[in-house]
Amino acid sequence: MELLYALHLSKSFNGGNIEFGEIVKAVESVLKIDLGNFYKTVSEIKSRKITKTKFLQLLSDNLINEIKD
């Protein structure tokens, strides 16, 4: 959800001319998964105390570690 929300806020889909719910539904359909109540999940992400974007940080850390040297 962090990744989808970050992409949405970056206007990565249709130049930002799409609702977040539409993005979630499209990803659910393509990946054949249920992401549940995505607005609740986004709210939980916003209320995190220490690292609000722990998944995105993990992705970044792994990529940096892979491309070092």
Side-chain angles (χ1 to χ4, degrees):
M1 195 59 64
E2 283 179 34
L3 179 58
L4 290 180
Y5 197 52
L7 290 168
H8 171 66
L9 294 176
S10 300
K11 300 182 183 199
S12 298
F13 300 108
N14 195 28
N17 295 317
I18 186 169
E19 295 293 323
F20 182 57
E22 293 179 62
I23 296 167
V24 172
K25 290 181 191 311
V27 169
E28 286 178 325
S29 176
V30 168
L31 299 178
K32 296 180 182 10
I33 58 172
D34 180 7
L35 294 173
N37 185 340
F38 51 89
Y39 288 112
K40 180 180 178 202
T41 304
V42 168
S43 177
E44 290 169 353
I45 290 168
K46 290 178 179 181
S47 69
R48 290 179 185 161
K49 299 291 183 204
I50 299 171
T51 306
K52 294 201 182 279
T53 57
K54 59 185 176 183
F55 179 70
L56 293 176
Q57 187 62 51
L58 175 66
L59 292 178
S60 178
D61 292 346
N62 287 336
L63 179 59
I64 290 168
N65 287 333
E66 180 62 29
I67 61 176
K68 279 184 182 175
D69 301 320

